[in-house]
Amino acid sequence: MSSPKIVNGPGGYILQDVPHLIDYLPDLPTYPNPLKDNPAYSVVKQYFVDTEDTVPEKIIVHKDGPRGIHFRRAGPRQKVYFESDEVHACIVTCGGLCPGLNTVIRELVSSLSYMYGVKRILGIDGGYKGFYAKNTIPLNSKIVNDIHKRGGTILGTSRGGHDTTKIVDSIQDRGINQVYIIGGDGTQRGASKIYEEIRRRGLKVAVVGIPKTIDNDIPVIDRSFGFDTAVEEAQRAINAAHVEAESNENGIGFVKLMGRHSGFIAMYATLASRDVDCCLIPESPFYLEGEGGLFEYIEKRLKENGHMVIVLAEGAGQEMMSKSMESNTLADASGNKVLKDVGLWLSQCIKDHFKKIKMVMNLKYIDPTYMIRAIPSNAADNVYCTLLAQSAVHGAMAGYTGYTSGLVHGRQTYIPFYRITEKQNNVVITDRMWARLLSSTNQPSFLGPKDTSEEEKETPEGEICNGVVDIPPVTKE
Ligand code: ATP
Ligand code: MG
């Protein structure tokens, strides 16, 4: 892999920069941005984003200037590295479904054609393998006009089948010079490999990722598209569970939501709903039997209230279930471990427990996962998808490559691939948001007694100086 581009910025911040085509094609000509003739140009005071403009990953205010890690700010640039007639773009969607995929496709096509006058745009059919195995779909503004009102992806998607050489051969053979890749962590890893191979071959091809994960488990960015829609749609399942629970003697409404490794959907759906008595997520281990365990809490809630609602993220309790069942080594076509249905398993454990203690209980299990994934994105996600797509296109036209577009502290940025794929975004159960959830549900924390010595520890970021966090400046080279 080519080494990450890190620049020491003025004032002592570190710019984790994204690659540019001129890094390996230094003689590329530039052209004035055609957007200078766009109506948008005349209404915004400073329409073109300054090439030096950056966005901090963490906001650190310091008397001597910016500090910390920064990313390049997204947006239209004064100069572009592609002429409109020269652009031959393609769009591919990979991995699982997520609300908003069609909106991103639509807005990529609209941005390319309306803003930059691009006429040649191809859809790759059925994920990465579509580059070399299937037909392509010609795209224009008319074809994509109302696809944002539909769930899924009009391009189709798949897992597995990433063959870097074959994909780049196909890109080269078709004369494609802008590749837009929409997908999750696996997809972005694949995109990074495509970028590396394109660079190795010295091709004038911009490779751009748009991060997709309904679970909101991609690091660095504020949130992922589709997440807001998923939380909203999960309310319907929780409402149904509540109605079922209320209508039966000692009723339990039990809802399984998405979240293989991160419980954000379960946490936000619980906080939004107010009907949930217990939220179980992968980050917060829990146990069933004994004092302070789940069974004890369920018994208590049923005795107090006559019914309860439990929300469970699909990755929660996996270890506990694996211990009680034979080991699971199944993997999908992309190599991701296939999780067993913890919802079914836990429902059965709860039923067995109440049978054992001879207490009446009626449990209704609802798994709305595939229904949530398949719906069109809501208004907030539609706006977000539009901004992501516009930023992605501005960046490619400006010659940037090997990046993901994303929102950081409310600003559109270009983030190098390695920052998106190096780790996962998780719910931090020692943070206030999880504490707020515990206060709202009143469920046990399933943790041991609090170690109060932690509170006296100093912040690891550095010293507090004039009321701001002071981290040492970076020495300029
Ligand atoms: P999600 O998990 O949110 O559904 P994802 O993008 O992580 O989305 P995957 O099925 O893991 O979904 O991967 C999508 C595509 O990326 C597949 O075609 C897979 O072959 C490819 N891919 C996954 N991991 C890698 C990798 N490390 N290198 C190259 N390609 C990869
Ligand atoms: Mg994934």
Side-chain angles (χ1 to χ4, degrees):
M1 203 185 100
S2 59
S3 51
K5 216 173 152 186
I6 292 176
V7 182
N8 293 338
Y13 66 84
I14 298 168
L15 175 63
Q16 285 189 338
D17 206 359
V18 294
H20 195 281
L21 291 170
I22 55 167
D23 295 345
Y24 61 95
L25 298 168
D27 300 326
L28 283 183
T30 58
Y31 311 94
N33 193 327
L35 279 167
K36 67 178 183 352
D37 302 322
N38 191 287
Y41 177 72
S42 55
V43 296
V44 181
K45 199 167 163 207
Q46 196 191 339
Y47 185 72
F48 291 120
V49 171
D50 192 324
T51 46
E52 301 300 311
D53 214 348
T54 63
V55 177
E57 182 178 9
K58 256 189 202 165
I59 295 175
I60 303 170
V61 188
H62 189 271
K63 56 183 169 40
D64 294 334
R67 293 287 188 274
I69 307 281
H70 284 226
F71 300 113
R72 205 168 267 288
R73 185 161 183 187
R77 302 298 201 257
Q78 215 134 20
K79 283 188 306 185
V80 292
Y81 283 77
F82 288 93
E83 281 185 298
S84 302
D85 291 348
E86 170 198 0
V87 176
H88 187 192
C90 76
I91 305 172
V92 63
T93 50
C94 311
L97 291 186
C98 172
L101 284 167
N102 278 336
T103 313
V104 176
I105 296 168
R106 185 193 189 280
E107 296 309 319
L108 285 171
V109 174
S110 303
S111 305
L112 282 162
S113 49
Y114 292 146
M115 294 200 291
Y116 288 100
V118 173
K119 296 206 171 54
R120 290 183 302 161
I121 311 168
L122 270 187
I124 305 295
D125 190 353
Y128 277 135
K129 60 179 90 156
F131 271 105
Y132 54 88
K134 279 194 177 176
N135 294 330
T136 50
I137 305 161
L139 296 172
N140 59 42
S141 336
K142 207 170 160 198
I143 292 170
V144 299
N145 187 43
D146 58 4
I147 61 170
H148 61 296
K149 295 174 188 165
R150 279 181 258 160
T153 156
I154 58 153
L155 301 179
T157 183
S158 63
R159 296 195 187 275
H162 180 101
D163 183 324
T164 314
T165 308
K166 281 195 200 170
I167 292 169
V168 179
D169 285 350
S170 161
I171 289 168
Q172 202 170 356
D173 293 347
R174 292 173 200 269
I176 290 167
N177 50 21
Q178 291 187 4
V179 184
Y180 295 93
I181 303 174
I182 313 164
D185 55 336
T187 306
Q188 303 302 320
R189 279 189 198 97
S192 177
K193 287 183 183 162
I194 292 170
Y195 156 71
E196 291 292 339
E197 179 59 16
I198 279 171
R199 185 182 175 131
R200 198 188 62 76
R201 296 189 195 184
L203 306 176
K204 185 189 174 186
V205 179
V207 181
V208 184
I210 292 126
K212 174 233 62 150
T213 156
I214 199 165
D215 296 348
N216 200 33
D217 57 359
I218 287 187
V220 183
I221 58 174
D222 293 355
R223 71 169 210 274
S224 53
F225 73 81
F227 172 69
D228 203 77
T229 309
V231 171
E232 200 171 295
E233 187 65 8
Q235 303 301 298
R236 297 195 332 132
I238 295 172
N239 280 345
H242 189 229
V243 171
E244 284 287 350
E246 266 189 325
S247 312
N248 286 287
E249 186 185 354
N250 286 339
I252 299 180
F254 191 179
V255 181
K256 186 182 83 171
L257 295 175
M258 292 83 76
R260 288 173 62 86
H261 307 285
S262 307
F264 288 104
I265 295 180
M267 178 168 82
Y268 277 88
T270 296
L271 279 163
S273 144
R274 323 284 160 109
D275 283 337
V276 181
D277 301 279
C278 186
C279 173
L280 302 168
I281 60 168
E283 295 89 337
S284 178
F286 61 97
Y287 53 98
L288 303 180
E289 314 266 358
E291 203 186 323
L294 182 64
F295 291 155
E296 185 191 75
Y297 176 60
I298 298 175
E299 282 173 43
K300 179 171 154 271
R301 270 316 274 158
L302 291 181
K303 280 174 194 156
E304 280 168 3
N305 212 28
H307 68 272
M308 77 179 294
V309 175
I310 303 174
V311 162
L312 170 90
E314 63 186 319
Q318 285 284 333
E319 275 179 27
M320 201 164 35
M321 176 175 57
S322 303
K323 271 187 208 151
S324 79
M325 298 167 90
E326 77 283 9
S327 67
N328 179 12
T329 50
L330 279 180
D332 68 18
S334 298
N336 304 307
K337 193 176 163 193
V338 176
L339 299 185
K340 282 186 181 154
D341 192 333
V342 70
L344 282 176
W345 173 78
L346 191 53
S347 305
Q348 195 54 51
C349 293
I350 296 170
K351 283 177 187 167
D352 292 346
H353 172 78
F354 279 88
K355 206 168 162 189
K356 200 167 93 189
I357 63 166
K358 295 191 174 58
M359 183 171 158
V360 176
M361 185 277 300
N362 282 292
L363 185 144
K364 298 288 183 303
Y365 176 52
I366 300 178
D367 179 354
T369 310
Y370 288 104
M371 299 193 67
I372 293 176
R373 282 169 30 141
I375 61 166
S377 46
N378 67 7
D381 274 327
N382 272 340
V383 173
Y384 186 30
C385 291
T386 305
L387 302 188
L388 283 174
Q390 289 190 355
S391 301
V393 170
H394 289 313
M397 291 301 294
Y400 295 112
T401 179
Y403 69 87
T404 301
S405 76
L407 199 67
V408 178
H409 294 306
R411 290 206 174 141
Q412 291 290 332
T413 57
Y414 299 137
I415 306 161
F417 282 136
Y418 68 92
R419 286 303 315 275
I420 292 291
T421 53
E422 69 188 356
K423 61 176 185 179
Q424 261 166 350
N425 189 26
N426 292 111
V427 173
V428 179
I429 58 164
T430 47
D431 269 3
R432 284 187 193 280
M433 210 53 176
W434 186 245
R436 286 176 187 128
L437 178 136
L438 296 180
S439 312
S440 122
T441 59
N442 239 344
Q443 71 191 68
S445 71
F446 303 110
L447 294 172
K450 185 176 177 179
D451 176 6
T452 46
S453 63
E454 281 291 309
E455 286 185 356
E456 279 141 36
K457 279 189 190 156
E458 269 187 30
T459 163
E461 293 286 351
E463 294 161 25
I464 301 291
C465 153
N466 298 336
V468 297
V469 178
D470 184 19
I471 62 163
V474 179
T475 327
K476 281 191 207 166
E477 280 172 351

